[in-house]
Amino acid sequence: MTTKHRPVLDDTSRAIIEQLQIDGRKPYAAIGLAVGLSEAAVRQRIAKLIESGVMQVVAVTDPLTVGSYRMAMIGIKIDGDITAVADQLAHYKEVDYVLVTSGGFDVMAEVICNDDDHLLELIQRIREIPQVRSTESFIYLKLRKQLYNWGT
């Protein structure tokens, strides 16, 4: 059995991540002042954090305000290999993220579709996956809060 190596974050790396969670465009020099490192050292640390998959720096939009019309969370009950279905869903272009969960659903998938017809077509595709027993859709009407400052 192989175990996946989990990166260990020191206090300085955590502080850098927290600075970027506040402002993802913050200059390296300003981050350096806040955490006690040089600009070059911050640049190096950020590159290593990105390379290792610990973090990514991206622009986040509200799809409901930039043209995508329909967002939903789809709860999915599965018979059989949950991981295989989750992996398959992760390849769908409409799927923003996929979670393997406990409770009423085996998998939750957040989706972004152009309109109701597109959402219906996607739900039908998901239901055609042989291991999918049922789905339940939770349509987003308005995004009221979206944070990515989960901490370190």
Short mmCIF file of all heavy atoms in Angstrom, two decimals, residues 1 4 9 12-13 19 33 43 56 64 69 72-73 88 95 102 105 109 111-112 114 120 134 144 149 151:
data_model
loop_
_atom_site.label_atom_id
_atom_site.label_comp_id
_atom_site.label_asym_id
_atom_site.label_seq_id
_atom_site.Cartn_x
_atom_site.Cartn_y
_atom_site.Cartn_z
N MET A 1 0.85 -1.18 0.00
CA MET A 1 0.00 0.00 0.00
C MET A 1 0.90 1.24 0.00
O MET A 1 1.80 1.36 0.81
CB MET A 1 -0.89 -0.02 1.24
CG MET A 1 -1.80 1.18 1.30
SD MET A 1 -3.14 0.95 2.49
CE MET A 1 -2.45 1.71 3.94
N LYS A 4 0.25 8.61 0.15
CA LYS A 4 0.49 9.84 -0.58
C LYS A 4 1.25 10.82 0.31
O LYS A 4 0.88 11.04 1.46
CB LYS A 4 -0.86 10.44 -1.01
CG LYS A 4 -0.74 11.49 -2.05
CD LYS A 4 -2.13 11.87 -2.52
CE LYS A 4 -2.02 12.76 -3.73
NZ LYS A 4 -3.32 13.11 -4.26
N LEU A 9 3.60 22.29 5.88
CA LEU A 9 3.72 23.74 5.80
C LEU A 9 4.28 24.29 7.10
O LEU A 9 3.78 23.97 8.18
CB LEU A 9 2.35 24.38 5.55
CG LEU A 9 1.64 24.01 4.26
CD1 LEU A 9 0.27 24.69 4.19
CD2 LEU A 9 2.47 24.41 3.06
N THR A 12 5.83 30.18 8.12
CA THR A 12 6.07 31.20 7.10
C THR A 12 5.25 30.91 5.84
O THR A 12 4.62 31.82 5.28
CB THR A 12 7.56 31.30 6.75
OG1 THR A 12 8.30 31.56 7.95
CG2 THR A 12 7.82 32.39 5.76
N SER A 13 5.20 29.67 5.41
CA SER A 13 4.38 29.32 4.25
C SER A 13 2.91 29.57 4.52
O SER A 13 2.18 30.09 3.67
CB SER A 13 4.60 27.86 3.86
OG SER A 13 5.90 27.69 3.32
N GLN A 19 -1.71 35.73 3.36
CA GLN A 19 -1.59 37.03 2.70
C GLN A 19 -2.25 36.97 1.32
O GLN A 19 -2.96 37.91 0.92
CB GLN A 19 -0.12 37.44 2.55
CG GLN A 19 0.56 37.81 3.84
CD GLN A 19 -0.02 39.07 4.45
OE1 GLN A 19 -0.13 40.09 3.77
NE2 GLN A 19 -0.40 39.00 5.71
N LEU A 33 7.36 41.87 3.43
CA LEU A 33 7.32 42.75 4.61
C LEU A 33 6.42 42.16 5.69
O LEU A 33 6.75 42.22 6.88
CB LEU A 33 6.82 44.14 4.23
CG LEU A 33 7.83 45.04 3.53
CD1 LEU A 33 7.15 46.33 3.07
CD2 LEU A 33 8.99 45.36 4.46
N ARG A 43 8.92 34.90 -3.59
CA ARG A 43 8.70 34.40 -4.96
C ARG A 43 9.02 32.89 -5.02
O ARG A 43 8.28 32.11 -5.58
CB ARG A 43 9.55 35.17 -5.96
CG ARG A 43 9.35 34.74 -7.40
CD ARG A 43 10.17 35.55 -8.39
NE ARG A 43 9.65 36.90 -8.53
CZ ARG A 43 10.25 38.00 -8.06
NH1 ARG A 43 11.40 37.91 -7.44
NH2 ARG A 43 9.70 39.18 -8.22
N GLN A 56 -3.10 27.34 -5.54
CA GLN A 56 -3.07 27.94 -6.85
C GLN A 56 -3.59 29.36 -6.71
O GLN A 56 -4.35 29.66 -5.80
CB GLN A 56 -3.90 27.14 -7.86
CG GLN A 56 -5.34 26.93 -7.47
CD GLN A 56 -6.08 26.10 -8.51
OE1 GLN A 56 -6.03 26.41 -9.68
NE2 GLN A 56 -6.77 25.07 -8.06
N LEU A 64 -22.96 33.76 -12.20
CA LEU A 64 -24.32 34.27 -12.40
C LEU A 64 -24.32 35.71 -12.89
O LEU A 64 -25.30 36.18 -13.45
CB LEU A 64 -25.13 34.16 -11.10
CG LEU A 64 -25.35 32.73 -10.58
CD1 LEU A 64 -26.03 32.76 -9.23
CD2 LEU A 64 -26.15 31.92 -11.57
N TYR A 69 -25.86 31.38 -16.96
CA TYR A 69 -27.20 31.60 -16.43
C TYR A 69 -27.57 30.67 -15.30
O TYR A 69 -28.25 31.06 -14.37
CB TYR A 69 -28.22 31.47 -17.57
CG TYR A 69 -29.64 31.59 -17.12
CD1 TYR A 69 -30.16 32.80 -16.69
CD2 TYR A 69 -30.48 30.47 -17.11
CE1 TYR A 69 -31.47 32.90 -16.27
CE2 TYR A 69 -31.78 30.56 -16.70
CZ TYR A 69 -32.27 31.78 -16.28
OH TYR A 69 -33.57 31.88 -15.86
N ALA A 72 -25.87 25.06 -10.36
CA ALA A 72 -26.58 24.13 -9.48
C ALA A 72 -25.59 23.21 -8.79
O ALA A 72 -24.48 23.00 -9.27
CB ALA A 72 -27.59 23.30 -10.28
N MET A 73 -26.02 22.70 -7.67
CA MET A 73 -25.32 21.61 -7.00
C MET A 73 -26.17 20.38 -7.24
O MET A 73 -27.39 20.42 -7.06
CB MET A 73 -25.18 21.88 -5.49
CG MET A 73 -24.44 20.83 -4.73
SD MET A 73 -22.70 20.69 -5.16
CE MET A 73 -22.05 22.19 -4.43
N GLN A 88 -15.24 10.36 -13.28
CA GLN A 88 -15.89 10.60 -14.58
C GLN A 88 -16.52 11.99 -14.61
O GLN A 88 -16.38 12.73 -15.58
CB GLN A 88 -16.94 9.52 -14.84
CG GLN A 88 -17.59 9.64 -16.20
CD GLN A 88 -18.51 8.47 -16.52
OE1 GLN A 88 -18.53 7.46 -15.82
NE2 GLN A 88 -19.29 8.61 -17.57
N VAL A 95 -18.73 20.81 -15.00
CA VAL A 95 -18.55 20.54 -13.57
C VAL A 95 -17.41 21.38 -13.02
O VAL A 95 -16.28 21.31 -13.48
CB VAL A 95 -18.30 19.03 -13.32
CG1 VAL A 95 -17.97 18.77 -11.86
CG2 VAL A 95 -19.52 18.23 -13.75
N SER A 102 -20.35 12.00 2.67
CA SER A 102 -21.09 11.05 3.48
C SER A 102 -22.49 11.64 3.68
O SER A 102 -22.70 12.82 3.43
CB SER A 102 -20.41 10.84 4.84
OG SER A 102 -20.40 12.04 5.57
N PHE A 105 -26.09 11.79 0.09
CA PHE A 105 -25.56 11.64 -1.26
C PHE A 105 -24.15 11.09 -1.19
O PHE A 105 -23.40 11.39 -0.26
CB PHE A 105 -25.56 12.97 -2.01
CG PHE A 105 -26.94 13.55 -2.18
CD1 PHE A 105 -27.38 14.57 -1.37
CD2 PHE A 105 -27.80 13.04 -3.14
CE1 PHE A 105 -28.66 15.10 -1.51
CE2 PHE A 105 -29.08 13.56 -3.30
CZ PHE A 105 -29.51 14.58 -2.47
N ALA A 109 -21.81 17.47 -7.00
CA ALA A 109 -21.10 18.12 -8.10
C ALA A 109 -21.70 19.50 -8.33
O ALA A 109 -22.91 19.62 -8.52
CB ALA A 109 -21.21 17.29 -9.37
N VAL A 111 -22.21 22.51 -10.80
CA VAL A 111 -22.20 22.65 -12.25
C VAL A 111 -22.55 24.07 -12.66
O VAL A 111 -23.29 24.77 -11.96
CB VAL A 111 -23.16 21.64 -12.93
CG1 VAL A 111 -22.77 20.21 -12.56
CG2 VAL A 111 -24.60 21.91 -12.59
N ILE A 112 -22.01 24.47 -13.81
CA ILE A 112 -22.30 25.78 -14.39
C ILE A 112 -22.76 25.54 -15.82
O ILE A 112 -22.01 25.00 -16.64
CB ILE A 112 -21.07 26.70 -14.36
CG1 ILE A 112 -20.56 26.85 -12.93
CG2 ILE A 112 -21.41 28.05 -14.98
CD1 ILE A 112 -19.23 27.58 -12.82
N ASN A 114 -25.21 26.99 -19.36
CA ASN A 114 -25.64 28.19 -20.08
C ASN A 114 -27.08 28.55 -19.80
O ASN A 114 -27.43 29.73 -19.75
CB ASN A 114 -25.44 28.01 -21.59
CG ASN A 114 -23.99 27.80 -21.93
OD1 ASN A 114 -23.09 28.33 -21.28
ND2 ASN A 114 -23.74 27.00 -22.95
N LEU A 120 -30.58 20.57 -18.03
CA LEU A 120 -31.36 19.36 -18.20
C LEU A 120 -30.57 18.31 -18.98
O LEU A 120 -30.53 17.13 -18.61
CB LEU A 120 -32.67 19.66 -18.93
CG LEU A 120 -33.56 18.46 -19.24
CD1 LEU A 120 -33.95 17.71 -17.97
CD2 LEU A 120 -34.79 18.92 -20.01
N SER A 134 -29.64 7.84 -8.53
CA SER A 134 -30.56 8.98 -8.58
C SER A 134 -29.78 10.28 -8.42
O SER A 134 -28.62 10.28 -7.99
CB SER A 134 -31.62 8.87 -7.46
OG SER A 134 -30.99 8.99 -6.18
N ARG A 144 -24.61 34.77 -2.61
CA ARG A 144 -24.56 35.79 -1.56
C ARG A 144 -23.20 35.85 -0.86
O ARG A 144 -22.86 36.86 -0.27
CB ARG A 144 -25.64 35.53 -0.51
CG ARG A 144 -27.05 35.55 -1.06
CD ARG A 144 -27.46 36.87 -1.64
NE ARG A 144 -27.48 37.84 -0.56
CZ ARG A 144 -27.58 39.14 -0.74
NH1 ARG A 144 -27.67 39.62 -1.95
NH2 ARG A 144 -27.60 39.96 0.27
N ASN A 149 -10.91 31.82 1.95
CA ASN A 149 -9.94 32.04 3.03
C ASN A 149 -10.10 30.96 4.10
O ASN A 149 -10.26 31.24 5.26
CB ASN A 149 -10.11 33.44 3.62
CG ASN A 149 -11.51 33.67 4.17
OD1 ASN A 149 -12.41 32.88 3.94
ND2 ASN A 149 -11.69 34.76 4.89
N GLY A 151 -8.07 29.21 5.46
CA GLY A 151 -6.99 29.11 6.41
C GLY A 151 -5.97 28.06 5.99
O GLY A 151 -6.07 27.47 4.94
#
